[in-house]
Amino acid sequence: TRMERAWEQLSAVFKQILPDCEVGLCGSVVQGVHDKSSDVDMWFHDPASTPLHEVAGKLELFRAQQDSDGGAILRIVETIEAARVPFIKVEYGGVKVDLSQGRLNPSGVPKGCNDRLLRALFEGDPRTRNLVRFTKCWAKAQHLVGAAENYLNSMGW
């Protein structure tokens, strides 16, 4: 799928710009409640602790190189450092991706761990997945979600 391609290609980009970094997925893709309009939530851990604005700068340089090669598919939308979990919003090949720094969430739990637990719960009763999708769509339509605006994330609803 487009989401999988974006994940694979962005992972490769991170290996180029931060050779020692680790990358992973979290959020609705891992939970299994994503849809066509969902973004991809990706985390990266850089042992060198490169500041987020410098990572965004490295991504911008990568994008500029793509432009000069005639094949730009990366677009940096914005860097949001004031959120509870700072992140970079990008589009890669038309797929929206939120890139957060670090392996652990603010509670000290590995990113994606809660998502895998939720997926297992949703698989136990498929009706829960539909209820979650409905609630997420409703919250988005009511403009009640957005980490950048310090709202609950859609799973918070």
Side-chain angles (χ1 to χ4, degrees), residues 36-63:
K36 291 186 289 189
S37 68
S38 296
D39 64 0
V40 174
D41 296 304
M42 183 175 160
W43 58 265
F44 64 94
H45 172 70
D46 173 26
S49 299
T50 305
L52 196 64
H53 68 277
E54 288 183 27
V55 175
K58 289 176 182 268
L59 286 169
E60 187 59 42
L61 288 172
F62 180 86
R63 187 206 56 77

Side-chain angles (χ1 to χ4, degrees), residues 96-114:
K96 294 177 183 175
V97 182
D98 288 347
L99 305 165
S100 62
Q101 192 168 28
R103 276 188 288 224
L104 305 176
N105 69 24
S107 304
V109 176
K111 289 181 182 173
C113 181
N114 292 340

Side-chain angles (χ1 to χ4, degrees), residues 10 74-77 88-92 95-97 99:
L10 264 175
L74 172 67
R75 183 170 81 87
I76 291 92
V77 177
I88 305 168
K89 283 182 164 297
V90 302
E91 281 188 18
Y92 198 89
V95 176
K96 294 177 183 175
V97 182
L99 305 165

Side-chain angles (χ1 to χ4, degrees), residues 132 135-136 139-140 145-146 152-157:
V132 167
T135 305
K136 286 177 62 140
K140 286 178 186 178
V145 296
L152 287 174
N153 64 28
S154 57
M155 277 309 292
W157 289 99

Side-chain angles (χ1 to χ4, degrees), residues 122-153:
F122 299 151
E123 288 173 351
D125 185 345
R127 296 175 299 177
T128 58
R129 181 173 288 144
N130 292 333
L131 177 62
V132 167
R133 284 185 176 142
F134 172 80
T135 305
K136 286 177 62 140
C137 286
W138 171 83
K140 286 178 186 178
Q142 300 301 312
H143 306 286
L144 297 173
V145 296
E149 295 82 21
N150 287 316
Y151 290 124
L152 287 174
N153 64 28

